[in-house]
Amino acid sequence: MNLNYIVREPQNITSKTPILFMLHGYGSNEQDLFSFRESLPEDWIIVSFRAPLSTEFEGFSWYDIDFNNPEKFVDLQQANEALQAITEHIMTIINNYGLSDSKTHLCGFSQGGILCYVLALRYPELFNLVACLSCYPEEKLLTDIVTDKKNLENLRFFISHGTDDAIIPLDWGRKAAELLYDLSCYFSFREYMSGHGVNQKNYMDLMDFFSK
């Protein structure tokens, strides 16, 4: 599966140049989170993927959602195919840039954030800073995650959720704190007076997280 993506490159790239991969939400596209680039460190490579499936109103998704059936909120086959494609593209891009000594970061919103949980916990040795925005950890996709605390110690999670989120309930988002606490992961879980989105305070806190 081939994924389209857009890139912002710094002036100088070495084997230690940090790289951030972005995964947008359902019905959006690669330009969405890419708009954050103006506030992110100038010396990072930023890669924003476009999901492979088309939705209404010229958007894209990582997998289909049945909004009328909570039991089928995730198409597991499509989600796992997307995860495999994302992983392959991440490895290819890292190798093409020769980033043998760099740190690799993730940022995902909503459906993209759900996949970020899976990527980070499946391959914790690959990632460092992981931002999961307005999403939740999907148990059906977290069946083969790493649970050894030693292998998870390099991960740092920033999790944010709106108190008035009508798409993904706050209670679902809070499950992340339980999961990451049980795994002894480092994480910051923050709630904001907003809906299904990123308000100004959330944005500032996210940029602070990525600047450390």
Side-chain angles (χ1 to χ4, degrees), residues 4-67:
N4 292 321
Y5 59 89
I6 48 179
V7 183
R8 186 203 74 180
E9 296 180 348
Q11 285 189 321
N12 300 305
I13 298 176
T14 71
S15 63
K16 294 183 178 181
T17 298
I19 187 166
L20 170 65
F21 292 96
M22 299 178 137
L23 305 179
H24 65 76
Y26 182 92
S28 187
N29 60 49
E30 69 277 20
Q31 295 287 347
D32 188 11
L33 296 178
F34 198 63
S35 63
F36 292 0
R37 67 189 182 279
E38 301 298 332
S39 304
L40 289 163
E42 293 182 357
D43 59 341
W44 287 16
I45 301 169
I46 299 173
V47 178
S48 185
F49 288 116
R50 177 196 293 176
L53 304 176
S54 296
T55 65
E56 292 182 325
F57 311 112
E58 300 182 352
F60 299 89
S61 72
W62 299 102
Y63 53 84
D64 292 334
I65 294 176
D66 186 342
F67 289 99

